Amino acid sequence: MLLPGADTWNTPKHRAIIKKAEELLDVGATVCAICGATAALADHGLLDQRRRTSNGPGFLEMVSTGYQGQSLYADKPSVTDGGLITAGSTGALLWAKQIIERLGVFEPDTLEAWYEYFSTGKPEHFFALMQTLPAGKDN
């Protein structure tokens, strides 16, 4: 489940989504939240017992009055704790990398080349990325 950043997650219309996120985390499925979505998870106590990050130290306390997980907060762009992958607003690329890794989309060397290319934009990394992909099949 991907929860994109927004400042509207705590509106009543989203309660069912946050409840589903809780159910998924309880069974070990993957839930990915970035920016404002982390605040909604914090409001519902879903971050109190898991390592996570968000928009910087103090953000979750500022926006979530019931947040109790300060001791497990990691001041990093993106953090993975089992099936939970969180990121602050500036950690989107690393968040995407961690999601791709969790889903097993790429082989490890392809993932690293992908990350190098998108984090630097340098053409040599694009060509290195292409070299890691399997050769196409002739029809």
Side-chain angles (χ1 to χ4, degrees):
M1 173 182 265
L2 294 176
L3 303 174
D7 63 355
T8 58
W9 277 109
N10 288 322
T11 60
K13 68 181 180 181
H14 295 307
R15 285 189 186 127
I17 296 170
I18 300 305
K19 179 68 177 158
K20 181 54 77 174
E22 180 177 22
E23 292 169 10
L24 291 170
L25 286 169
D26 285 347
V27 298
T30 302
V31 174
C32 310
I34 190 169
C35 193
T38 63
L41 296 181
D43 272 351
H44 289 83
L46 301 179
L47 301 184
D48 291 347
Q49 303 301 317
R50 296 174 174 95
R51 283 190 69 240
R52 102 284 307 142
T53 194
S54 189
N55 291 330
F59 173 75
L60 293 173
E61 292 89 331
M62 180 179 72
V63 298
S64 175
T65 57
Y67 174 62
Q68 298 295 312
Q70 295 87 345
S71 66
L72 294 173
Y73 183 84
D75 191 17
K76 296 180 177 185
S78 186
V79 171
T80 298
D81 184 344
L84 178 67
I85 304 173
T86 55
S89 57
T90 62
L93 183 62
L94 182 56
W95 186 62
K97 179 186 181 209
Q98 291 172 332
I99 293 167
I100 291 167
E101 182 176 38
R102 170 83 178 182
L103 297 176
V105 174
F106 293 143
E107 294 296 324
D109 61 335
T110 301
L111 180 59
E112 288 307 315
W114 176 90
Y115 187 71
E116 284 299 313
Y117 175 59
F118 283 98
S119 63
T120 67
K122 293 182 179 178
E124 62 265 24
H125 295 298
F126 172 77
F127 295 111
L129 170 60
M130 293 296 102
Q131 293 298 313
T132 70
L133 298 176
K137 294 183 180 181
D138 293 329
N139 292 331

